[in-house]
Amino acid sequence: MKLNIAFLQLLPEGSLTENMNKGIIACRRAKEKGADIALFPEMWSTGYRFSHDKDVLERTAITADSPFVRAYSELAAELEMAIAVTLLEKHEPKPKNTVCLFDRHGNLVFKYSKVHICDFGEEDDEGVLDAGDRFFSETLETGKGNIKVGAMICYDREFPESARIMMLQGTELILVPNACPMEINRLSQLRGRAYENMLAIATCNYPSPHPDCNGHSTLFDGVVYMPGISGSRDTCVFEAGCEEGIYVATLDVDMLREYRQREVWGKVNRRPELYGIMAEEER
């Protein structure tokens, strides 16, 4: 099975409706390019712009059953293509940074909210948002077969525990909506998460000149060693440039599964009885 993943590396427009319409057009173009899954960057409903004024923030947030989100559910069914759409989700007491994954029938596979919010005590950070409270690993039905999928959102990837939990849950592909500069160190994080967990990671970022973003959406397949090939291989299947565009990359799921069967990274030789400190509260 080879899945085509579309990275919708788009510049947002000035309103919810404009973003919705631009996203719909992009999904149609992705389908024309042969995509099985379309992935948006972080918080597409607002273009990763959110007010720190409580009243304005509440007016900007939308529900997961809003017309904006329903439009993508219906589009997924129409196109027979999975869509991972992102939003500033209405929630009490504070909104959440959320991705909804719809399968090719338009059914909701999961609704994941960013677990690790960027709350650094600065005026423009995510302290005005609530954090999610769980990771998912769910079966996504595609026209080519099923695959176990989870999600991280941007800052989540900087915590090794995020990907490790999903690997232990059986995830094969992690979808990562993103909104930050993807420079060598952050790209190395993604490469490392894929390598150490033997899974694929697809990240979609905003292009330049969106504030504090530079494109470079990526697909890492996690397959490091291949029979008959000396040394290791480059797990980066695809890396976009900084420009706006709809990019499609292919994940060889069969190759990944065969690799997970024969190699030892991740589950084998773990010593979980020694890892307790990782789950302790900070002192």
Side-chain angles (χ1 to χ4, degrees):
M1 178 170 66
K2 295 183 179 180
L3 291 179
N4 295 324
I5 302 172
F7 300 83
L8 308 184
Q9 188 170 287
L10 305 173
L11 287 169
E13 302 295 331
S15 72
L16 178 70
T17 299
E18 288 175 308
N19 287 347
M20 180 181 73
N21 291 336
K22 183 170 185 174
I24 288 172
I25 292 170
C27 285
R28 293 190 184 281
R29 288 185 57 198
K31 179 65 177 182
E32 291 172 358
K33 290 172 175 281
D36 300 295
I37 304 171
L39 175 61
F40 280 91
E42 183 177 9
M43 209 184 290
W44 173 246
S45 66
T46 67
Y48 195 70
R49 297 185 179 99
F50 52 94
S51 174
H52 283 61
D53 180 285
K54 187 176 187 300
D55 292 336
V56 176
L57 183 67
E58 289 296 330
R59 289 198 300 270
T60 309
I62 59 176
T63 64
D65 63 353
S66 65
F68 177 92
V69 178
R70 287 203 307 272
Y72 289 102
S73 169
E74 294 166 1
L75 185 63
E78 177 192 337
L79 299 178
E80 296 188 353
M81 177 183 72
I83 298 176
V85 65
T86 57
L87 63 144
L88 176 64
E89 183 190 8
K90 190 177 292 294
H91 178 265
E92 292 295 338
K94 297 184 288 187
K96 288 184 173 183
N97 184 340
T98 296
V99 56
C100 292
L101 175 63
F102 295 102
D103 68 15
R104 68 189 185 99
H105 305 294
N107 299 318
L108 181 66
V109 178
F110 59 68
K111 183 183 73 170
Y112 169 76
S113 295
K114 190 174 186 177
V115 167
H116 302 97
I117 60 172
C118 300
D119 186 4
F120 308 125
E122 300 173 358
E123 291 185 359
D124 59 349
D125 66 20
E126 295 177 347
V128 294
L129 305 180
D130 266 344
D133 58 9
R134 62 169 295 193
F135 294 101
F136 291 88
S137 180
E138 301 293 341
T139 299
L140 173 67
E141 179 189 340
T142 77
K144 296 174 180 174
N146 295 343
I147 185 170
K148 291 280 281 188
V149 179
M152 303 186 289
I153 297 179
C154 200
Y155 189 46
D156 285 327
R157 74 175 182 280
E158 301 197 16
F159 296 82
E161 296 85 354
S162 304
R164 178 49 54 98
I165 287 169
M166 284 183 275
M167 181 276 289
L168 293 172
Q169 292 173 335
T171 298
E172 298 171 294
L173 168 64
I174 299 178
L175 303 175
V176 188
N178 198 80
C180 72
M182 294 308 295
E183 39 73 50
I184 188 170
N185 296 299
R186 290 189 173 105
L187 293 172
S188 297
Q189 283 179 330
L190 294 169
R191 185 186 297 274
R193 298 293 91 85
Y195 172 35
E196 66 203 12
N197 293 298
M198 295 197 299
L199 47 70
I201 300 181
T203 303
C204 185
N205 196 29
Y206 287 102
S208 299
H210 191 276
D212 208 30
C213 293
N214 67 338
H216 291 275
S217 299
T218 53
L219 174 61
F220 293 92
D221 68 6
V223 179
V224 180
Y225 305 110
M226 292 289 291
I229 300 177
S230 62
S232 62
R233 62 182 286 275
D234 188 354
T235 63
C236 184
V237 174
F238 166 77
E239 181 178 346
C242 62
E243 304 84 3
E244 182 176 33
I246 299 165
Y247 304 95
V248 177
T250 301
L251 173 64
D252 190 330
V253 180
D254 290 336
M255 183 175 72
L256 174 60
R257 287 173 176 169
E258 290 169 4
Y259 177 70
R260 286 161 68 111
Q261 287 293 319
R262 70 174 182 267
E263 291 294 345
V264 301
W265 312 110
K267 291 186 178 181
V268 178
N269 300 322
R270 292 178 69 245
R271 297 288 305 279
E273 71 275 12
L274 303 180
Y275 305 157
I277 193 173
M278 294 177 64
E280 291 181 6
E281 296 288 339
E282 288 186 341
R283 297 172 183 174

